[in-house]
Amino acid sequence: MRIIKDREIIEDAWVHLCDEALPADGKVTVPLNRWLVERDELLCRDGEIGVRLNCEALDELDGLSADLGKIQLVVLEIPKFTDGRVFSMARLLRDRYGFREEIRVLGDFLYDQMFYLERVGVNAFEYHGPESLEDALHAFITFSVNYQQAIDGPGLIQRRGREI
Amino acid sequence: MYSYDEQDQTVVDERAAQYRDQTRRYFAGKLTEEQFLPLRLQNGLYIQRHAPMLRIAVPYGHLSAKQLRMIAHIARTYDKGYVHFTTRQNIQLNWPTVEDSPAILEDLASVQMHCIQTSGNCIRNTTSDPLAGVCKDEIEDPRPYCEIIRQWSTLHPEFAFLPRKFKIAVTGAPVDRAAVRVHDIGLRLVKNDRNDIGFEVIVGGGLGRTPIIGQVIRDFLPKRYLLSYLDAILRVYNLKGRRDNKFKARIKILLKEMGLDSFRDAVEAEWQQIRDDFPLEEETIQWYRSRFIQPDYDPDAPIEHWAEHRQQDPAFAAWYAHNTVEHKMPGYRVVFLSLKPPGVAPGDMTSDQLDSVAELSEHYSFGVTRTTHTQNLVFADVRQLDLYDLWLALSELNLATANVGKLTDMICCPGLDYCALANASSISVADDIYARFDNFDYLYDLGDIRVNLSGCMNGCGHHSVGHIGILGVDKKGEEWYQVTIGGSSGDDATLGDRLGPAVAKDKVADTIEAIIETYVDQRKEDESFLATVRRIGVQPFKERVYANH
């Protein structure tokens, strides 16, 4: 499947599992509740591992935080494009928990939200239209000025009146 | 007022381009109705009863002459030649089309204006004291902070899809003219015991169907932490605010459900993690101050109280007494333009009036006009020497009705005549009341009385904090009105008490008359309406109003 990652279209090898058997190798993601039960087994296998969180998982973020160094992908599942909790969760993952690997969104989000999502730390998008992936790349250059601080650094406000 | 630099201009230009593309995709079927909804709302476009409604942001109520002329042009070109000023200091067009809306946004951007986040579940326009910078009692001019908050909230990537709308008001004066206690966040510039200036932070106020007075969650916030503290409040709200029920989604409900202490603890804990991440340095604040073009006051402006003219001309005397107030600079005075003449929907203005006001503002008030949350306009910097000429000019324009702060200076939402949410009309009820109180001497004798009308419980007309509040409700297809008394949005912010059962539309004016007669009978000397209600309670009013029912 083709996705957008770091502002490029790439062929993606991650497989999202629910309760299917674990393949011996390859990149797989599991939902948080499976991760919590099968953590050791998942870490022993040969292959990268990702964890999928939904917006209800906020309280578990703390529980996952100690393990963030062991996983290569966090997937934020967006149940409804109007549910803005995902924006804070992504930012907390980056700012508070220092997660440096891939943060990906999947689910119900709009082309029009990708600019915001990137600014709070999401760097990969399983985008399914209606725009083509090529057109969707334009989302990131909708605005060239950012007033406020986000994951991409200090905002224009803080730079004003100062030499930064 | 604040003047954009190139980067500010880029933001509004890029926003207009983004919206044009969104509208194109909507008409091309690439965005569903449901998907387009929050996108157009965050550009001020509602679909209303008869037509779309477009709400234009007027940051903390400041408008240049050029901007006023553009509003006049837009209202003429894309609408029916008039506009409506709102209780959040904004401007609404009542009849634009969706197809024209991208062009309107481009026209607005050309004069440093926009509709960004004027509706939708996001941080709305920042409002303030209409006398900011010119009143004598101010601790500090709040406007640079208003502008900083405007920019911080503009396209904030984390807080564009909140549980519900979010409104912030800032005031720099001890006397609250910005209704900070009925906002999601109210900020008051205060001095601490070390004489440092910072903010008192009030959270969880709001009107609407569950009106609540906000509570202080921090007595003193150093300016340096303004933005990190706002981020902390918004993050707690974004993550914990209810999303299961639109009517319980405002931050006031979260605060109520968590309790003040645990809400405060959550905010403070969040803030401790980020407080030093993006401080607001003094030189940054200074930069914002410097972007406000200050009026070039004449230090030798003559003092002129117009004593003789006032003696000879009672109409001028009344206007001087009720529609002008003191200015911090000697030789200057603040002038209110009443948008509440008889026979006009409260807060409405025509394009011709807007053009004329633009010209008068250039001639008499350094080219700036301000809007107030009570739906009037202000010329903040008028030379006393010019007052008589200005009064003549405003009278010609029907903008000098000497009723500011009086009973007929009603706050009124558009109501059933325009609004898709309304249950009942408000403008025609305001008309009925107006007709009963057309004697100015009687009005002045009654003193300051705030009458607020809303056509539904969403409360755009701020009925719950009116000294007299009137709320339109639908009873089996008929318009009825619930009346409250004793509310206030000022320093003593209070929600009004219900008088009794709702009254029929044709009885509203009678009811208001009975309330006023009770006040006149019961008041002690110069006691105000509000003070009388506070002293004697609702009962005497209730008895009189319902005596004949």
Side-chain angles (χ1 to χ4, degrees):
Chain A
M1 182 184 62
R2 297 196 319 152
I3 68 160
I4 292 173
K5 185 180 173 186
D6 297 326
R7 297 192 178 194
E8 286 178 11
I9 299 164
I10 60 155
E11 195 58 47
D12 179 52
W14 285 91
V15 177
H16 301 311
L17 300 180
C18 289
D19 41 18
E20 304 93 318
L22 275 180
D25 53 18
K27 301 172 163 188
V28 296
T29 73
V30 294
L32 179 69
N33 52 11
R34 183 166 181 184
W35 166 263
L36 294 173
V37 174
E38 299 175 29
R39 180 179 171 279
D40 295 339
E41 193 186 335
L42 286 161
L43 285 173
C44 285
R45 61 182 278 288
D46 195 12
E48 290 178 278
I49 186 82
V51 175
R52 301 200 305 276
L53 302 178
N54 64 41
C55 287
E56 307 298 337
L58 181 71
D59 296 335
E60 279 100 29
L61 255 189
D62 275 326
L64 184 67
S65 63
D67 289 338
L68 283 172
K70 302 184 178 74
I71 62 178
Q72 289 74 44
L73 168 66
V74 172
V75 180
L76 298 174
E77 296 177 333
I78 307 180
K80 187 76 205 159
F81 75 97
T82 49
D83 189 334
R85 287 177 291 186
V86 65
F87 297 91
S88 286
M89 289 179 71
R91 190 157 178 192
L92 284 175
L93 275 169
R94 293 287 189 222
D95 268 353
R96 186 74 35 88
Y97 300 104
F99 186 64
R100 294 280 162 263
E101 304 285 342
E102 178 178 334
I103 298 179
R104 176 186 298 196
V105 284
L106 71 82
D108 187 18
F109 65 91
L110 305 182
Y111 160 80
D112 308 86
Q113 294 176 304
M114 289 167 60
F115 174 80
Y116 288 154
L117 285 164
E118 188 189 49
R119 290 206 65 213
V120 294
V122 175
N123 68 321
F125 303 81
E126 289 194 19
Y127 179 72
H128 298 297
E131 305 304 316
S132 66
L133 286 184
E134 287 73 13
D135 284 346
L137 290 174
H138 295 298
F140 304 116
I141 53 166
T142 309
F143 294 99
S144 58
V145 176
N146 298 319
Y147 278 125
Q148 57 296 95
Q149 161 136 342
I151 298 304
D152 47 8
L156 175 62
I157 296 172
Q158 287 156 276
R159 296 198 299 276
R160 282 177 157 166
R162 308 173 69 215
E163 300 297 323
I164 296 183
Chain B
M1 61 187 283
Y2 180 79
S3 110
Y4 277 19
D5 67 5
E6 272 177 35
Q7 308 204 70
D8 298 318
Q9 186 62 49
T10 300
V11 172
V12 293
D13 288 341
E14 290 178 344
R15 178 62 158 191
Q18 180 196 36
Y19 180 71
R20 183 172 278 286
D21 182 56
Q22 287 166 340
T23 313
R24 176 189 64 76
R25 287 186 286 126
Y26 167 66
F27 283 118
K30 285 183 157 189
L31 282 169
T32 65
E33 202 69 61
E34 189 198 8
Q35 291 169 334
F36 187 50
L37 175 76
L39 306 179
R40 66 169 162 78
L41 285 178
Q42 297 209 12
N43 286 291
L45 192 74
Y46 283 77
I47 303 295
Q48 285 287 33
R49 190 168 294 274
H50 304 293
M53 180 274 277
L54 187 71
R55 184 179 295 143
I56 300 165
V58 184
Y60 36 96
H62 279 46
L63 286 160
S64 69
K66 192 175 177 186
Q67 291 173 333
L68 275 177
R69 290 193 178 98
M70 178 55 82
I71 300 291
H73 164 77
I74 288 171
R76 261 188 213 109
T77 312
Y78 306 105
D79 205 306
K80 296 187 176 179
Y82 66 98
V83 301
H84 178 72
F85 287 87
T86 78
T87 51
R88 295 209 74 255
Q89 298 182 291
N90 289 326
I91 294 173
Q92 288 178 185
L93 296 174
N94 284 314
W95 312 92
T97 65
V98 182
E99 289 82 351
D100 282 338
S101 56
I104 299 175
L105 260 55
E106 285 156 5
D107 283 353
L108 289 170
S110 75
V111 293
Q112 309 189 349
M113 291 189 84
H114 60 78
C115 299
I116 298 172
Q117 294 165 210
T118 53
S119 60
N121 297 331
C122 53
I123 306 169
R124 304 287 190 87
N125 183 33
T126 305
T127 54
S128 189
D129 181 355
L131 303 187
V134 298
C135 57
K136 266 191 162 166
D137 57 350
E138 200 159 73
I139 291 164
E140 191 182 328
D141 189 340
R143 292 172 297 174
Y145 304 101
C146 292
E147 180 58 27
I148 290 169
I149 293 169
R150 180 189 80 82
Q151 297 187 9
W152 161 81
S153 60
T154 296
L155 313 180
H156 196 304
E158 191 179 339
F159 305 130
F161 295 88
L162 295 170
R164 199 75 179 85
K165 59 187 170 183
F166 203 93
K167 304 174 179 179
I168 301 176
V170 191
T171 181
V175 176
D176 181 9
R177 287 171 291 252
V180 294
R181 286 171 185 78
V182 292
H183 280 76
D184 296 283
I185 296 179
L187 296 168
R188 290 181 59 226
L189 281 155
V190 290
K191 261 187 196 158
N192 67 4
D193 46 18
R194 292 165 54 195
N195 240 14
D196 293 329
I197 296 176
F199 297 96
E200 179 185 72
V201 184
I202 300 162
V203 177
L207 300 174
R209 66 177 62 209
T210 315
I212 295 180
I213 303 296
Q215 301 189 69
V216 176
I217 67 160
R218 193 167 236 283
D219 295 322
F220 188 84
L221 177 74
K223 293 171 182 175
R224 178 179 178 75
Y225 301 121
L226 175 63
L227 298 183
S228 57
Y229 206 80
L230 292 177
D231 257 17
I233 295 171
L234 265 297
R235 184 169 295 155
V236 168
Y237 173 54
N238 189 39
L239 288 169
K240 295 183 190 288
R242 285 181 62 171
R243 290 173 186 270
D244 60 325
N245 181 342
K246 163 178 177 179
F247 301 122
K248 295 186 187 298
R250 295 284 292 270
I251 195 171
K252 59 192 174 189
I253 306 292
L254 177 67
L255 194 148
K256 203 172 149 195
E257 288 182 354
M258 286 178 79
L260 178 63
D261 289 336
S262 38
F263 178 82
R264 178 194 286 127
D265 290 348
V267 169
E268 292 278 329
E270 181 58 40
W271 179 56
Q272 287 304 329
Q273 301 265 3
I274 58 174
R275 53 182 275 171
D276 296 312
D277 287 358
F278 42 102
L280 189 59
E281 303 290 355
E282 184 53 36
E283 55 262 48
T284 296
I285 298 172
Q286 193 48 44
W287 184 90
Y288 280 92
R289 283 191 196 109
S290 73
R291 295 296 300 181
F292 279 80
I293 300 161
Q294 293 299 328
D296 186 15
Y297 294 119
D298 173 7
D300 303 318
I303 309 290
E304 175 56 73
H305 297 305
W306 296 97
E308 218 169 287
H309 282 72
R310 282 155 67 196
Q311 226 163 22
Q312 288 161 3
D313 190 337
F316 175 65
W319 178 81
Y320 185 95
H322 303 292
N323 288 21
T324 74
V325 298
E326 201 181 16
H327 195 288
K328 68 176 183 186
M329 288 291 293
Y332 286 84
R333 210 161 164 85
V334 180
V335 172
F336 285 80
L337 284 58
S338 171
L339 303 188
K340 319 289 173 63
V344 175
D348 276 14
M349 250 176 110
T350 66
S351 287
D352 290 349
Q353 282 178 315
L354 289 166
D355 276 336
S356 303
V357 166
E359 195 170 331
L360 290 178
S361 76
E362 284 172 328
H363 200 71
Y364 293 110
S365 196
F366 298 96
V368 178
T369 304
R370 303 182 184 192
T371 62
T372 77
H373 85 270
T374 55
Q375 302 176 291
N376 290 311
L377 300 182
V378 167
F379 281 174
D381 302 291
V382 180
R383 281 158 54 104
Q384 292 175 0
L385 208 56
D386 293 333
L387 284 170
Y388 191 79
D389 287 346
L390 176 58
W391 172 69
L392 290 173
L394 290 174
S395 301
E396 289 273 306
L397 295 170
N398 202 20
L399 296 171
T401 308
N403 63 349
V404 170
K406 303 296 173 283
L407 190 147
T408 51
D409 180 9
M410 289 175 266
I411 291 180
C412 185
C413 73
L416 197 60
D417 298 317
Y418 298 101
C419 178
L421 302 172
N423 300 121
S425 31
S426 43
I427 296 171
S428 58
V429 174
D431 267 352
D432 290 348
I433 297 169
Y434 210 115
R436 302 290 178 95
F437 293 92
D438 57 354
N439 180 322
F440 277 83
D441 289 332
Y442 187 47
L443 272 190
Y444 301 147
D445 175 58
L446 298 175
D448 286 351
I449 299 183
R450 170 128 305 292
V451 177
N452 293 354
L453 288 94
S454 303
C456 77
M457 57 165 57
N458 292 304
C460 297
H462 295 189
H463 62 274
S464 11
V465 289
H467 299 172
I468 299 174
I470 301 167
L471 163 64
V473 291
D474 173 87
K475 270 197 192 177
K476 296 178 187 154
E478 281 179 28
E479 299 167 69
W480 287 70
Y481 295 83
Q482 253 166 32
V483 179
T484 51
I485 60 171
S488 164
S489 64
D491 297 306
D492 54 347
T494 318
L495 303 173
D497 289 319
R498 243 176 92 173
L499 207 57
V503 299
K505 189 174 180 181
D506 60 356
K507 294 283 180 249
V508 176
D510 291 343
T511 302
I512 305 307
E513 256 190 322
I515 291 170
I516 294 302
E517 285 163 7
T518 313
Y519 159 61
V520 171
D521 287 351
Q522 300 269 353
R523 69 179 164 185
K524 288 184 172 170
E525 292 163 19
D526 292 340
E527 195 178 41
S528 71
F529 175 79
L530 192 57
T532 305
V533 177
R534 297 265 155 92
R535 180 172 55 80
I536 65 175
V538 173
Q539 200 55 33
F541 295 92
K542 188 173 184 165
E543 282 165 14
R544 185 121 171 195
V545 166
Y546 296 102
N548 303 322
H549 281 237

